Amino acid sequence: MSISRRNFLKASTVLAGSALMPSAIAETALAQSNTSTQDQAKPDYTVRIAASPVEIAPKKIISTTTYNGQFPGPLLRFKEGQRVTVDIFNDTDTPEQLHWHGQFVPVDVDGAAEEGTPFVSARGKRRISFVPQPSGYRFYHTHNRAGADLAAGQYSGQVGPVYIEPKHEPGRYDREVFLVLKEFEPTFSRGGDMAIDALSPATRVKSLEEQGDSAMKTSLEKGMPKGYEVGYDSFTINGKMLGHGEPVRVKQGDRVLFHVLNGSATEIRSLALPGHTFRVIALDGNPVPSPVNVPVLWLGTAERVSAIVEMNHPGIWIMGDTADDDRHHGMGTVVEYAGRNGAPVWIAPQKSRWNYAHFAKPGATAPAPDETFDMTFVKDNAALDGFNKWTINGVAYPMSNMMAPALFHLKQGHRYRLHMRNASDDIHPIHLHRHSFELTNIAGIPTAGVMKDVVMLGGYQEISVDFVANNPGMTLFHCHQQLHMDFGFMTLFDYVG
């Protein structure tokens, strides 16, 4: 395909509209809840939300909202099961939410207004306390909806890594490197997103494809343009465009454990290192039953991969996205062996798709669930002021409410299967708050043993995941693509017994 994803998505349109803002009622309630005698004690960690400049390349400075004045936010290292206290200061004029992604925490600290978490008021402070769990690579990020405001939500710089120390690491390594992949300078465009051939198996469900194609054809015949998408001008790893910032310095023979986070608001990312392979040992922080060597990592929005690379190919290399245009505009970093010099080199890897089943438990099948919820995801092209509207079983999450009635009801201790069907051509990174789920069927193929909190569901495909209802309270389920989440692609689970 001759057109690049970046140029295809680059905006020529400035959209009028306002972001989805928390209500004054919520802000007032939070201000009242923030006063506590415990505020006199010193916190274990402090996170400060504020607008700040970020230099992503020499003389290229962007202004965005960050944690502690930096991007990514500071790495927070917790110990599993050891309670922590965190003070969150909000130095902006907008009430904020800080979500502890991938952790089993109660709703009052999870950081989602839809579940009932209080906001951190504008120019205010909130102290929270929780027990970090489970172990592994997690992260924290804003959970504000952005709507049409490309400075809000995860379009901003509010992303930071969390590592919860496990009792036993799943692999032997010499050092750790944390990488956060993120784009900046977003813009709107018309025309639809570019298809990404990343997932295997690539089996499509004919009925879903017919449903999606028919709906799009009908919309276009009525004269509707394609819905808004988002593109980016600048791409970074750890807040620096390729060629800027410090390289990853290694020695021959090192075993480096890379913890990679896709901190994007909307983009699926890939990552390759010429002449090397990644031995994947954990997905979303959870050790995999079957570590596998792969030439390319693929990550949906909010996914994490932990992989060991044996440094056995000396040189100076570009570790970067396989999409040439994105890499040329910054999505990469330099890996430099000791004693080597010269210009960094990129060599395109062999083409490969991402198959979650490769990391599963061989020959195993998941236990039968107590109940199955069937879920179908549908796109209504350009239905909301030019934005695509997204529905789950025909229902779009209301844009005017922070909280809405739960569509699905859980009983404590029961095992549930989510059978998800995608009637669109988009890849959806699906996220369930406050729980982990097991991948149990991928495009019609049974699997077991892979635990995650985000999974990519391919266009016109189906997938099943199982989870145990073991963390009572309202629980948010959504696509982690900011545009999809903001315009309907969310729902709630509640516990009824």
Side-chain angles (χ1 to χ4, degrees):
M1 192 171 294
S2 59
I3 188 169
S4 73
R5 281 197 297 150
R6 174 179 171 275
N7 289 334
F8 185 83
L9 290 172
K10 188 172 181 180
S12 58
T13 305
V14 176
L15 184 69
S18 62
L20 301 170
M21 300 292 289
S23 68
I25 294 174
E27 184 176 350
T28 302
L30 174 68
Q32 294 171 349
S33 71
N34 279 340
T35 58
S36 168
T37 56
Q38 294 181 354
D39 286 353
Q40 304 304 315
K42 185 178 179 181
D44 298 302
Y45 300 90
T46 297
V47 176
R48 189 173 290 273
I49 306 167
S52 60
V54 177
E55 187 176 50
I56 60 176
K59 299 183 180 180
K60 187 172 182 63
I61 300 172
I62 62 170
S63 179
T64 187
T65 306
T66 63
Y67 295 132
N68 292 15
Q70 65 182 70
F71 182 84
L75 169 65
L76 303 181
R77 295 193 83 112
F78 301 146
K79 294 191 178 190
E80 185 176 24
Q82 184 172 308
R83 180 171 290 275
V84 298
T85 301
V86 181
D87 278 353
I88 307 170
F89 290 87
N90 181 8
D91 296 336
T92 76
D93 294 324
T94 303
E96 268 291 350
Q97 288 284 0
L98 190 154
H99 171 47
W100 300 97
H101 185 116
Q103 292 201 51
F104 302 163
V105 292
V107 294
D108 62 326
V109 300
D110 187 45
E114 296 81 6
E115 296 172 342
T117 311
F119 283 95
V120 186
S121 60
R123 305 294 170 181
K125 168 194 169 184
R126 183 164 188 244
R127 169 165 288 191
I128 60 173
S129 179
F130 61 94
V131 177
Q133 58 179 328
S135 63
Y137 193 20
R138 316 289 159 184
F139 76 115
Y140 59 109
H141 64 86
T142 180
H143 213 283
N144 275 12
R145 285 186 260 172
D149 184 354
L150 292 179
Q154 276 199 244
Y155 301 118
S156 74
Q158 294 177 76
V159 177
V162 169
Y163 196 72
I164 302 175
E165 303 284 355
K167 293 179 181 177
H168 303 287
E169 283 287 357
R172 183 180 61 81
Y173 60 91
D174 298 303
R175 57 177 295 213
E176 294 174 291
V177 174
F178 289 81
L179 301 177
V180 179
L181 318 183
K182 183 78 166 71
E183 311 84 13
F184 290 101
E185 300 180 293
T187 49
F188 284 117
S189 70
R190 293 277 196 181
D193 203 352
M194 300 297 292
I196 298 177
D197 186 19
L199 299 178
S200 177
T203 309
R204 292 184 168 194
V205 178
K206 186 176 181 181
S207 61
L208 294 174
E209 191 165 10
E210 289 173 348
Q211 179 182 353
D213 287 349
S214 175
M216 179 60 77
K217 182 179 179 181
T218 300
S219 175
L220 296 177
E221 286 175 348
K222 290 180 179 178
M224 296 291 290
K226 289 189 175 182
Y228 289 108
E229 300 289 348
V230 175
Y232 302 89
D233 282 347
S234 298
F235 300 74
T236 70
I237 294 182
N238 287 353
K240 297 293 184 182
M241 299 177 71
L242 176 61
H244 308 291
E246 291 297 313
V248 178
R249 294 186 172 89
V250 301
K251 294 183 289 187
Q252 186 170 358
D254 279 352
R255 289 169 56 88
V256 179
L257 175 55
F258 286 96
H259 296 291
V260 185
L261 160 65
N262 181 0
S264 176
T266 60
E267 295 277 288
I268 293 166
R269 296 260 62 100
S270 59
L271 192 70
L273 177 59
H276 301 77
T277 58
F278 299 91
R279 186 164 184 81
V280 175
I281 62 170
L283 297 176
D284 292 350
N286 305 305
V288 297
S290 302
V292 174
N293 291 332
V294 298
V296 179
L297 304 179
W298 285 93
L299 303 95
T301 302
E303 284 192 296
R304 288 90 65 211
V305 176
S306 296
I308 292 175
V309 178
E310 294 191 9
M311 293 300 165
N312 54 15
H313 194 180
I316 300 179
W317 305 104
I318 293 173
M319 174 189 278
D321 200 292
T322 58
D324 291 342
D325 194 66
D326 292 359
R327 195 178 62 259
H328 292 159
H329 287 87
M331 188 52 74
T333 191
V334 174
V335 175
E336 178 183 294
Y337 277 76
R340 297 289 172 144
N341 53 50
V345 175
W346 168 258
I347 300 172
Q350 65 188 74
K351 187 173 181 179
S352 67
R353 290 193 177 103
W354 189 249
N355 189 341
Y356 295 112
H358 287 165
F359 310 105
K361 190 178 297 182
T365 56
D370 296 301
E371 187 175 352
T372 296
F373 295 135
D374 291 309
M375 312 173 87
T376 301
F377 311 139
V378 173
K379 174 168 65 177
D380 190 353
N381 177 60
L384 294 172
D385 297 325
F387 289 95
N388 299 321
K389 181 173 79 172
W390 295 93
T391 62
I392 300 174
N393 292 355
V395 179
Y397 197 92
M399 297 183 65
S400 57
N401 302 29
M402 281 300 160
M403 299 184 71
L407 288 187
F408 302 95
H409 309 290
L410 309 174
K411 292 182 179 180
Q412 174 83 9
H414 283 210
R415 182 182 178 94
Y416 292 91
R417 179 160 296 168
L418 307 181
H419 177 215
M420 300 179 287
R421 293 162 52 85
N422 181 8
S424 76
D425 59 355
D426 298 65
I427 296 178
H428 297 300
I430 303 296
H431 174 44
L432 180 66
H433 282 228
R434 308 190 315 107
H435 300 74
S436 290
F437 50 71
E438 181 179 10
L439 307 189
T440 54
N441 193 293
I442 302 171
I445 301 173
T447 185
V450 175
M451 302 298 298
K452 299 188 92 274
D453 54 60
V454 179
V455 63
M456 287 187 282
L457 172 57
Y460 305 127
Q461 291 196 315
E462 57 185 354
I463 196 168
S464 292
V465 304
D466 289 13
F467 72 99
V468 176
N470 55 8
N471 196 7
M474 297 292 276
T475 300
L476 188 62
F477 170 96
H478 64 93
C479 178
H480 218 285
Q481 212 269 31
Q482 185 89 48
L483 268 181
H484 300 177
M485 175 182 112
D486 287 350
F487 292 93
F489 203 145
M490 295 196 294
T491 193
L492 285 164
F493 294 80
D494 66 1
Y495 280 70
V496 296

